[in-house]
Every structure is written in structure tokens, then in C-alpha cells.
Amino acid sequence: MHIKFSRRRFLTTGAGALGTIAMPYPSRAADRPAVTHGVQSGDVTVDGGVVWARTDRPAQMLVEVATTESFKNARALPPITALPESDFTAKMLIENLPGGQDIFYRVRFRDLSHSAVEGEAVVGRFRTAPADRRDVSFVWGGDVAGQGWGINPDDGGMFTFSAMRTHRPDFFLHSGDAIYADGPIQSEVKLADGKIWKNLTIPEKAKVAETLDEFRAAHKYNLTDGNLRAFNAEVPIFVQWDDHEVTNNWSLSKDLPATYKERNIALLAARAGRAFHEMYPLRESINEPGRVYRQIAYGPHLDVFVLDERSYRGANGPNLETEYGPASYFLGPDQIAWLKRGLINSRATWKVIASDMPLSLVVSDTPKGGSEAIAQGDGPVRGREFEIADILRFIKMAPISNTVWLTADVHYAAAHYYDPNKAQFQEFEPFWEFVSGPLHAGTFGPAALDNTFGPEVRFVKAPGKDSQNLPPSAGMQFFGHVKIDGASGQMTVTLRDRADVALWSTTLDPKPS
């Protein structure tokens, strides 16, 4: 739902109706609709953003927005409903906000059956994108609650979110695997040293997710973590998805393990997609409902191109096709055309391409012995690599300056520099790819590099082949931090661990457009 009001009205309208028409509350909190999983904001641009919350019954979501923390001159927005059909979630696109401004919002719910009954408000904030060349700061990463490593209060919970929050980033780019729908969470896991990792648990996470409610529950499980809820209340999310929002390495050819009673992968993906869109504050596409790929303009210095490398891919297989066709689809023709249009029309200093999988790290679909990602091993362009070659050639020929690729997926931190002089395919300009994560999952790696596009490892932090699936308590949880200097346009990329130690950093000078 689009709520529109002018910037003048936003800044001048007096205290909103919420403060004047609310009736006395019942005495017991249980009698009032609650905000059950905190608040979130997302897909923030120079003049707006999406606000999300969930309640515990049929209710109206009531939102107030202001440019001050005191909520002086707050504006009450028209209510929207939260119903069982959406698991009592609701999200609102707020438009026509002032650029480069801290926006404070508070959310409460009004019982649909008893209009005088309202719950307690929960406050959140976000900063709209700058209209001028101010500094921009954001964090990115992926992979949350994977490999059975759930919320362990004795280890501080999902502690990496607390570390990211200290940087007060403008937004968080979530690179996918926001949940592990295929990964049950048991109450205890025995560690290599004999100690016990203790998870908080919920009944729905005792098995793989198959029903819509089980997919929803996996997202809600993560939101029971206090670190994540505090982070969400202050930092907008730009979210994409990968495989574990559905099941490991899913494509339409997925051969499901015996743990699944539901054998229809397309039905599982549809249920997972619905839960994903219900549980995150991403802007919805009118021309393609359920679409994940989108462009988010974050001021003069930055455009973010959020890709979807799941929904349009061909079946996972050997990935050795010598000609481009449906079997080698990864992004698919429509998404590639969209990306090219967006890149060539972008006037931002930096074009960040948010890829949920790395370009040249070999990730195999183990049960089939084929390719799960883009890379298929050293050599000339084959299979899904045709799409990447086409995009890189287009960027060179257009020409388009200052593209950077950000990704996660492989559960370790790395920096890759792509040099056409060292590549099998050479029709591109040099560029960087940065890898971070996991945010809260098992640590793996490093993976083998494919030389097709000439990647060089400039940094890597991974446990090594003899120490795979390390728990979060081992400390090897990683996130990336990007700063763009408003005056110079320089981009500084820093890879950090969950203790907020800077492991590696580089500063990139922008080329003239």
C-alpha cells in the first residue's frame, strides 16, 4: 500500500490522530495486540522506505512518523490490516519523506474486533538516502542460523548483528540464506572439544520446513534474537534470497532428501517465497508479484542492484553447455536485460551488484556432482558463465564505470580482484568482488577458484579443510563494511569478524563516468 503525503505536510502537520483518538487500554497486556517480533524497515531511498511489523491477532497496524526522536509534529498514517492470511504481518511503503534525514517511526496495533483496544508502541528509525554527496556507510553479509547453530544465549546469541550495529550503517545488504529452512535446530549440539552448544528451540524448527507455517516459523525463530531485533529497529535491510530459504541447492531439478514428505520442489519454493515476502520489508513489484531482483537508488554516490539467482535458473547440472540456452540460465534473459538497462542509466558514482553467489568460487551440487553456482572449473566460458561473460562485456563496451560485486554464500571472508590479463575470457575491465559471512552459521572454506574470469585472491579468512563447520563460538563469523566518502567518492571496503576486528581493507578510487 502506498501512503503519499507531501514533504511540506510531513514537516508541518501537528501531532497525529493516534494521540487523540486512542481509547484507554485494558489493564492486562495480554488483552492488547502486541508487536511480536520487533519492527523492521527496508528498501530505503531518498524519499521513502518500507516499515514492517507483526502482531498476534487480526488488527490494524498504526504508524506514526517524525523527523525527531521526541515525535514532535508526528504524522499519523492511514491504518492497514494484519490478517491471518499474512500470518498477521503488515508492511507499509512511506513516501515523500525528506532526503538525507533521520526518520523515526512507531508502530502499534489496534484490535479489529475491539477498536478501543490498542497495544503498546514499538519505535524504530531509518535514514533516507542523501539527495547530495554525503558520506554513505553500509554493511553486508549472509547465512543465518545454518548447520544447526541456532540462538545460544550462553554465546551471546546472534552476536554479529550487535557488532554491525555499532557502526550505525545507513543500511544492511542481506546477501541471502536469511534462514535455513532445511536445517533443524536441536536443543543441544556436542562440540569437537566436548562442550555443549545449547540452542533456544521452537517446535517448528525440529524438522525441515515444508508447510507455509513452517517456513514462516523459520523466519520468526531468527527474530526471537535480541541482537537481531535491536539491529532491525535501527538499520534498514535490503534483502535478497538464495537456496536455504527453500532447501539446500534448490533448482527445479532438485532431488529432495527422504526427510521431505512434500516432494514437489515448485510447491516448496512457492510457499517459501510467500513467507519470505511476508517477513521482510522489501518493496513489492506490481508487474511481477513476488519478484526479488530490484534496483535501490541510495543517493548520488550509490545504486544497488539486488539480483535473484534462484528463481530463473535452469536445472542444476554439469554446467558445461557450449552455447547459451535455457539449460545455462542463471539470472535469465529478462533479469539480464533489466540489469543492463539499470547499469547504463545509472548516474551514481558506484554501482554495487549484489549477487547471492560468488562469480568464480566452485560450489558443487554434491548429490548430483554438478554445479550449484556459476563457476564450473578452469577453462573457457561454459554453461552459466555465458551470462556473466555477457554482463562483463556489456559493462566494458557501454562503458560503465565503478562496478563492485558483493556476495556471501560460501561461509568465509575473501577479496577477489578480477584481472582480464589472467583470464580465459578477457573482454572486461578489472573489477573487485568481496565475500563475507557467515553472520551466524557454520564456517567453511576456502573453495577452489575457477580461472575463467581471472580472479586473484587478495585476502581470505577461512578455517581450512581440516576444520569445517566451525560454530559461531569459534569467532569466525564475518561481515563486510563499506564506506563511501561524500567529498571524494572513494569507496573503502573492510572485512570484519564478529568481534569487530578489521581483518583487511582497501580503498577504491572512482573513475570518471
Side-chain angles (χ1 to χ4, degrees):
M1 180 177 182
H2 289 228
I3 308 300
K4 294 186 178 181
F5 51 93
S6 70
R7 185 176 289 105
R8 180 181 299 275
R9 287 185 63 196
F10 179 85
L11 293 172
T12 60
T13 302
L18 291 182
T20 60
I21 67 170
M23 300 296 287
Y25 294 146
S27 58
R28 294 193 301 116
D31 292 330
R32 293 176 275 158
V35 176
T36 60
H37 291 83
V39 293
Q40 298 182 75
S41 64
D43 285 12
V44 170
T45 61
V46 71
D47 64 351
V50 180
V51 168
W52 174 99
R54 181 185 180 275
T55 188
D56 56 2
R57 68 193 73 182
Q60 289 181 315
M61 183 170 79
L62 309 175
V63 179
E64 290 178 291
V65 288
T67 55
T68 60
E69 195 168 7
S70 67
F71 283 87
K72 183 180 179 180
N73 297 325
R75 174 69 176 170
L77 304 180
I80 59 174
T81 55
L83 297 172
E85 288 78 6
S86 63
D87 195 33
F88 306 117
T89 63
K91 54 185 174 181
M92 176 185 293
L93 174 60
I94 307 172
E95 296 183 306
N96 296 316
L97 300 177
Q101 174 70 54
D102 285 338
I103 302 296
F104 300 87
Y105 63 93
R106 56 189 174 197
V107 178
R108 62 168 60 94
F109 285 92
R110 175 192 294 153
D111 196 310
L112 271 184
S113 300
H114 305 282
S115 60
V117 178
E118 295 180 4
E120 295 291 336
V122 175
V123 175
R125 65 186 294 174
F126 61 86
R127 184 181 302 114
T128 51
D132 54 6
R133 294 181 178 273
R134 299 186 192 179
D135 296 352
V136 173
S137 164
F138 68 93
V139 291
W140 94 91
D143 317 309
V144 181
Q147 292 72 51
W149 308 114
I151 301 167
N152 180 356
D154 295 337
D155 188 52
M158 295 183 177
F159 190 73
T160 309
F161 287 96
S162 180
M164 291 193 295
R165 182 182 167 210
T166 63
H167 292 275
R168 295 184 58 83
D170 292 309
F171 63 88
F172 166 49
L173 173 60
H174 200 313
S175 302
D177 291 342
I179 60 167
Y180 279 70
D182 58 317
I185 300 291
Q186 307 299 330
S187 60
E188 294 185 351
V189 181
K190 188 174 182 179
L191 303 179
D193 60 5
K195 295 180 180 179
I196 301 296
W197 173 280
K198 296 183 178 181
N199 288 314
L200 297 180
T201 61
I202 60 172
E204 295 91 340
K205 284 295 293 178
K207 63 180 289 294
V208 297
E210 298 174 88
T211 68
L212 177 57
D213 282 341
E214 287 168 348
F215 283 110
R216 290 165 167 165
H219 293 281
K220 289 186 285 190
Y221 174 79
N222 290 357
L223 291 172
T224 62
D225 179 77
N227 299 301
L228 179 53
R229 289 198 311 275
F231 181 82
N232 287 346
E234 296 184 10
V235 183
I237 185 173
F238 298 0
V239 67
Q240 63 192 138
W241 74 340
D242 193 26
D243 57 331
H244 290 285
E245 282 83 359
V246 181
T247 189
N248 184 49
N249 294 356
W250 78 272
S251 71
L252 291 180
S253 66
K254 178 69 178 180
D255 185 12
L256 289 163
T259 49
Y260 284 85
K261 295 179 180 179
E262 176 55 66
R263 310 304 298 174
N264 186 335
I265 186 62
L267 180 57
L268 289 175
R271 290 169 177 167
R274 175 168 175 176
F276 177 81
H277 280 268
E278 289 174 346
M279 296 302 298
Y280 293 98
L282 72 164
R283 297 184 186 226
E284 300 296 342
S285 170
I286 295 175
N287 61 333
E288 186 187 345
R291 197 173 89 177
V292 174
Y293 71 84
R294 61 205 186 280
Q295 178 181 348
I296 303 172
Y298 202 84
H301 275 314
L302 179 63
D303 278 345
V304 181
F305 297 88
V306 180
L307 303 184
D308 178 357
E309 295 167 348
R310 282 290 154 189
S311 302
Y312 314 101
R313 66 165 60 194
N316 282 359
N319 196 25
L320 296 173
E321 295 82 16
T322 57
E323 294 182 354
Y324 182 59
S328 52
Y329 285 0
F330 196 66
L331 298 171
D334 289 344
Q335 188 174 185
I336 291 173
W338 161 84
L339 178 60
K340 289 178 178 179
R341 288 193 304 270
L343 289 171
I344 203 165
N345 290 324
S346 173
R347 296 297 174 261
T349 306
W350 293 98
K351 296 86 176 172
V352 165
I353 301 174
S355 174
D356 47 283
M357 301 201 77
L359 298 179
S360 296
L361 291 173
V362 178
V363 183
S364 61
D365 191 4
T366 306
K368 292 181 174 296
S371 179
E372 152 69 0
I374 301 163
Q376 40 73 22
D378 290 347
V381 172
R382 293 286 186 270
R384 293 167 176 167
E385 293 171 339
F386 280 109
E387 291 191 343
I388 303 305
D390 180 39
I391 293 167
L392 296 182
R393 183 191 296 113
F394 175 81
I395 290 172
K396 175 182 173 68
M397 298 303 293
I400 297 163
S401 302
N402 309 320
T403 59
V404 172
W405 295 67
L406 300 182
T407 189
D409 182 69
V410 289
H411 295 235
Y412 66 92
H416 301 144
Y417 181 72
Y418 285 77
D419 184 352
N421 295 317
K422 299 183 179 181
Q424 299 291 310
F425 173 84
Q426 298 183 322
E427 297 177 57
F428 66 94
E429 295 293 334
F431 67 96
W432 285 88
E433 174 189 57
F434 301 101
V435 186
S436 72
L439 297 172
H440 189 85
T443 314
F444 292 88
L449 269 178
D450 178 335
N451 72 359
T452 303
F453 301 113
E456 303 173 18
V457 177
R458 295 291 180 89
F459 172 80
V460 64
K461 181 79 171 180
K465 63 180 180 179
D466 296 326
S467 301
Q468 299 291 282
N469 195 19
L470 295 183
S473 54
M476 295 186 73
Q477 306 289 290
F478 308 110
F479 69 96
H481 185 205
V482 176
K483 290 183 178 179
I484 301 174
D485 181 74
S488 68
Q490 288 181 318
M491 174 185 282
T492 300
V493 181
T494 305
L495 297 173
R496 295 178 172 271
D497 64 17
R498 79 169 193 165
D500 205 23
V501 174
L503 305 173
W504 182 88
S505 186
T506 189
T507 297
L508 309 179
D509 293 319
K511 296 178 180 178
S513 298

